[in-house]
């Protein structure tokens, strides 16, 4: 069962004048330079720096800004350093897996040609610790290419291991991809001026952490409930203040359209005489006017998190199973007995274009999924715990070769497993639903074996993805993947012949039709054998073997 999110965030745009834009830009440039300088000092300090190093870092930043700005910068850089360390460890593990797979396949000779038949004979070898035998590469050319790739991976692994041992991290503010585009503007299809604007916009941001004992949860960047935004300027920029105590007040108001009520309740809540702390981040976009303000805070379940209805945790209950694919989500609604209810649902995914468009498309599809779950009175959404980390690290060796292999690897890499799981975990609790994650093993195979044929009708042939959605939903309810033999029958609708004798509740679809109750064993249609006349001596015709035995008995008599 996926837990509710531990944080909430909302963003709004603030319209500023040219003079206000100049002041905010100077603040972003100063805080950005201090942040990048402190990040370099943190990387040089190594894995376990001494307390004196932390104190020296804070003193250097405080002398040019303030103690509050210094605390926010140091905490942010420490969090970024820890994140990059985790990425380095994951990268080292991925390189080790890829090297092990290539070395295993290089140990197998290439296929040799039979001199008599002129056919290639592949060589297969069993490797200790592996269930299946290993096949070598197709020819000597591919083998030489993999040997060069193995040398490259070993060199990268050695460099990554040295960085992990010394505690050195590589973090590029503004993004590594944008930094690489500077040397190849033609391939990126942008001019130098456009690149410069994007680079400055990506690096022009500043943030401030709040505290419960500060007014409205944050003293450095303060936003009142009516939307008044004021910033405590750094020490070197206090001459730009337009308000007492070195504060700069913006004329534009901060209006949070999304989660605005929860934010206002959080900053005005009185908890032992203190309001809830809020962290603010201000940034700008290269192709849009104005500045953006993002507020983030840790919700209190009693006040901030108020779902539409209390989720029921006593499963089995009505759920909707979701099978995640590269271009669509296949969904099936299951009742509390594990029977498919209603027609199959397909939600198309169009993840082409930039990251902002892909994220918007994903949120749109998940919003439709939540509305469907509420319309069918489901209490939970069941998804697969998909993760392609191992497949991505060894995909070149285990997912085919050539053009088909590249196409398949792109398809696997295009499935938004992590983003879908994170987005759904953040959106589901607000609707009063429960999110369940299940083991994805053999869902498509067992769905095609046990559910594809019963779900097919003359008007619609069920797909493997629809059948897999049924297995996923049943697994979330605690049922087995396979169905009982003969229930539901292969040649009848699921709603006409169910596992139980209860009537099935269908949501109102606007037609006003009364749902058809399920049939029991007593009122089922009699079979051909039972419709025979009871006056006949033999109800079941004798087999040829029985007739031969009867003739032999008569001859002996």
């Amino acid at each position: 069962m996926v837990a509710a999110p531990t944080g909430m965030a909302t963003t709004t745009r603030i319209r500023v004048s040219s003079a206000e834009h100049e002041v905010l830009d100077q603040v972003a440039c100063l805080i950005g330079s201090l942040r990048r300088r402190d990040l370099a000092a943190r990387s040089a300090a190594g894995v376990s720096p001494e307390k004196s190093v932390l104190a020296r870092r804070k003193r250097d930043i405080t002398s040019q800004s303030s103690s509050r700005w210094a605390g926010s910068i140091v905490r942010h850089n420490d969090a970024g350093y820890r994140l990059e360390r985790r990425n380095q460890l994951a990268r080292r593990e991925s390189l080790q897996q890829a090297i092990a797979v290539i070395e295993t396949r290089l140990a197998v000779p290439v296929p040799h040609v039979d001199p008599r038949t002129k056919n290639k004979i592949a060589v297969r070898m069993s490797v200790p610790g592996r269930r299946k035998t290993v096949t070598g590469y197709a020819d000597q050319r591919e083998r030489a290419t993999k040997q060069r790739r193995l040398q490259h991976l070993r060199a990268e692994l050695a460099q990554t291991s040295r960085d992990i041992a010394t505690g050195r991290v590589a973090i590029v503010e503004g993004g590594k991809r944008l930094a690489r585009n500077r040397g190849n503007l033609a391939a990126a299809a942008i001019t130098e001026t456009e690149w410069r604007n994007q680079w400055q916009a990506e690096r022009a941001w500043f943030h401030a952490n709040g505290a419960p004992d500060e007014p409205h949860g944050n003293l450095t960047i303060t936003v009142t409930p009516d939307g008044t935004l004021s910033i405590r300027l750094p020490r070197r920029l206090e001459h730009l203040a337009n308000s007492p105590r070195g504060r700069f007040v913006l004329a534009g108001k901060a209006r949070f359209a999304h989660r605005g009520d929860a934010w206002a309740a959080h900053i005005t809540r009185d908890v032992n005489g203190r309001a809830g702390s809020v962290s603010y981040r201000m940034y700008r976009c290269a192709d849009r006017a104005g500045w953006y303000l993002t507020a983030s805070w840790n919700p209190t379940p009693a006040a901030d998190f108020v779902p539409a209805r209390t989720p029921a945790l006593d499963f089995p209950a009505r759920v909707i199973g979701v099978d995640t694919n590269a271009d669509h989500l296949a969904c099936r609604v299951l009742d509390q007995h594990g029977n498919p209810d209603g027609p199959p649902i397909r939600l198309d995914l169009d993840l082409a274009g930039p990251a902002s468009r892909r994220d918007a498309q994903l949120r749109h599809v998940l919003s439709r999924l939540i509305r469907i779950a509420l319309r069918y009175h489901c209490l939970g959404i069941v998804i697969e715990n998909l993760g392609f980390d191992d497949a991505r690290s060894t995909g070149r060796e285990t997912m085919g070769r050539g053009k088909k292999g590249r196409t398949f690897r792109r398809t696997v890499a295009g499935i938004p497993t992590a983003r879908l799981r994170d987005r759904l975990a953040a959106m589901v609790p607000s609707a009063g639903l429960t999110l369940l994650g299940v083991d994805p093993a053999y869902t498509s195979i067992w769905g095609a074996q046990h559910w594809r044929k019963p779900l097919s009708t003359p008007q619609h042939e069920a797909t493997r993805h629809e059948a897999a959605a049924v297995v996923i939903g049943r697994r979330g309810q605690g049922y087995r993947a396979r169905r009982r033999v003969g229930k539901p029958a292969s040649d009848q609708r699921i709603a006409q012949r169910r596992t139980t004798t209860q009537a099935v509740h269908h949501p109102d679809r606007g037609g006003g039709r009364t749902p058809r109750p399920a049939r029991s064993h007593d009122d089922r249609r009699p079979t051909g054998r039972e419709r025979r006349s009871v006056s006949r001596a033999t109800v079941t015709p004798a087999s040829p073997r029985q007739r031969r035995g009867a003739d032999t008995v008569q001859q002996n008599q």
Side-chain angles (χ1 to χ4, degrees):
M1 187 171 297
V2 181
T6 58
M8 302 180 69
T10 180
T11 303
T12 185
R13 187 172 66 171
I14 302 174
R15 301 185 182 275
V16 298
S17 61
S18 58
E20 293 174 342
H21 175 77
E22 184 67 25
V23 173
L24 294 177
D25 195 49
Q26 292 188 31
V27 174
C29 291
L30 176 60
I31 298 300
S33 63
L34 297 176
R35 183 177 58 250
R36 290 187 288 271
R37 189 184 308 171
D38 178 73
L39 181 60
R42 177 64 186 90
S43 179
V47 181
S48 301
E50 299 178 356
K51 293 184 178 180
S52 59
V53 177
L54 178 61
R56 184 173 63 253
R57 291 167 54 198
K58 287 187 176 181
R59 283 197 306 268
D60 295 342
I61 301 175
T62 303
S63 62
Q64 303 186 52
S65 57
S66 65
S67 60
R68 298 181 184 276
W69 286 110
S72 299
I73 292 174
V74 169
R75 283 193 291 269
H76 177 270
N77 287 338
D78 289 344
Y81 181 85
R82 291 191 296 268
L83 177 61
E84 183 60 25
R85 289 283 297 177
R86 292 196 295 268
N87 293 339
Q88 286 180 345
L89 296 175
R91 179 58 179 169
R92 182 177 64 179
E93 183 179 358
S94 176
L95 291 172
Q96 292 174 350
Q97 292 179 358
I99 290 174
V101 173
I102 295 178
E103 290 178 344
T104 302
R105 297 194 65 183
L106 286 176
V108 182
V110 297
H112 63 276
V113 180
D114 190 351
R116 294 176 299 177
T117 60
K118 305 299 182 180
N119 295 330
K120 287 187 177 181
I121 302 177
V123 180
R124 302 180 66 90
M125 296 178 58
S126 60
V127 179
R130 295 176 62 95
R131 296 182 179 179
K132 299 180 180 179
T133 57
V134 179
T135 305
Y137 292 105
D139 50 24
Q140 191 64 34
R141 179 181 179 181
E142 185 179 5
R143 180 184 176 88
T145 304
K146 294 301 179 180
Q147 288 176 340
R148 290 193 297 269
R149 174 168 169 77
L150 180 61
Q151 295 176 1
H152 172 74
L153 293 178
R154 285 174 176 171
E156 187 177 356
L157 177 61
Q159 181 63 39
T160 303
S161 301
R162 286 194 297 267
D163 293 342
I164 293 175
T166 58
R168 178 181 176 274
V169 299
I171 301 176
V172 181
E173 273 208 1
K176 185 184 298 184
R177 178 178 300 177
L178 188 58
R180 290 177 176 176
N181 289 343
R182 179 63 182 90
N184 197 0
L185 298 176
I190 58 176
T191 62
E192 183 178 354
T193 304
E194 294 174 348
W195 180 89
R196 183 66 59 183
N197 294 334
Q198 295 180 13
W199 180 255
Q200 293 176 355
E202 291 293 333
R203 294 159 67 93
W205 61 272
F206 56 92
H207 80 287
N209 297 328
D213 55 348
E214 298 178 353
H216 303 297
N218 198 316
L219 185 60
T220 307
I221 301 178
T222 305
V223 183
T224 60
D226 61 351
T228 303
L229 173 61
S230 62
I231 302 173
R232 178 65 169 86
L233 296 178
R235 188 167 304 171
R236 289 173 51 181
L237 301 177
E238 287 184 349
H239 61 280
L240 302 176
N242 59 1
S243 185
R245 299 181 181 179
R247 303 193 69 86
F248 184 79
V249 182
L250 277 71
K253 299 293 184 179
R255 307 292 186 185
F256 294 103
H258 178 58
R259 293 175 177 171
D261 297 338
W263 165 80
H266 186 79
I267 65 173
T268 57
R269 185 181 307 116
D270 187 9
V271 181
N272 297 327
R274 301 181 301 177
S277 62
V278 184
S279 296
Y280 293 104
R281 183 177 186 267
M282 293 198 68
Y283 61 97
R284 65 183 181 90
C285 297
D287 55 345
R288 297 183 182 179
W291 282 70
Y292 288 83
L293 176 68
T294 298
S296 56
W297 66 95
N298 292 327
T300 303
D304 289 334
F305 182 68
V306 182
R309 55 191 175 93
T310 303
L313 304 180
D314 51 343
F315 283 92
R318 289 181 63 88
V319 299
I320 177 170
V322 181
D323 180 59
T324 307
N325 302 282
D327 57 346
H328 74 283
L329 301 180
C331 311
R332 287 305 299 249
V333 178
L334 305 179
D335 61 9
Q336 61 269 25
H337 306 290
N339 297 309
D341 186 13
I345 302 170
R346 177 189 173 98
L347 302 178
D348 293 325
L349 275 173
D350 185 11
L351 300 179
S356 58
R357 183 185 181 278
R358 295 197 300 268
D359 186 69
Q361 291 292 324
L362 187 60
R363 286 188 282 109
H364 173 65
V365 170
L366 296 183
S367 299
R368 292 178 57 192
L369 175 63
I370 292 176
R371 288 195 296 267
I372 292 173
L374 294 176
R375 185 169 73 246
Y376 279 86
H377 307 287
C378 298
L379 296 181
I381 298 177
V382 187
I383 62 175
E384 298 173 286
N385 286 328
L386 289 175
F388 296 110
D389 297 336
D390 297 341
R392 291 190 179 102
S393 61
T394 60
R396 295 187 180 185
E397 311 300 325
T398 59
M399 291 187 174
R401 301 188 302 268
K403 185 177 179 180
K404 292 184 178 180
R406 289 193 297 270
T407 303
F408 182 70
R409 290 195 297 270
R410 291 195 192 101
T411 302
V412 172
I415 300 177
T417 54
R419 183 61 62 88
L420 183 142
R421 182 174 59 250
D422 297 341
R423 282 289 184 187
L424 203 56
M427 298 170 64
V428 161
S430 300
L433 300 174
T434 302
L435 182 62
L436 300 175
V438 299
D439 187 3
Y442 304 107
T443 54
S444 298
I445 297 177
W446 287 347
Q449 180 180 356
H450 300 290
W451 289 97
R452 186 176 183 180
K453 186 177 180 180
L455 293 175
S456 299
T457 61
Q459 294 78 18
H460 173 75
E461 182 179 358
T463 63
R464 290 172 57 92
H465 306 300
E466 297 172 5
V470 176
V471 176
I472 293 170
R474 289 177 60 87
R475 192 170 288 179
Q477 292 175 317
Y479 295 131
R480 301 175 60 184
R482 65 182 63 183
R483 61 184 181 88
R484 290 172 55 187
V485 179
K487 300 182 180 300
S490 302
D491 56 346
Q492 297 186 17
R493 296 288 294 177
I494 297 298
Q496 297 177 4
R497 192 170 172 186
R498 312 183 68 81
T499 304
T500 64
T501 59
Q502 299 180 3
V504 182
H505 172 74
H506 289 269
D508 187 11
R509 302 170 186 170
R513 299 175 60 184
T514 304
R516 183 176 181 178
R519 293 181 176 178
S520 63
H521 294 283
D522 297 334
D523 59 353
R524 62 183 173 86
R525 185 179 179 181
T527 61
R529 179 181 300 179
E530 296 171 346
R531 288 197 301 266
R532 294 178 180 271
S533 175
V534 295
S535 60
R536 293 182 58 178
T538 304
V539 178
T540 303
S543 62
R545 182 177 180 181
Q546 293 175 344
R547 288 196 296 269
R548 288 195 301 269
D551 296 341
T552 303
V553 172
Q554 292 178 0
Q555 292 176 4
N556 295 334
Q557 290 178 353

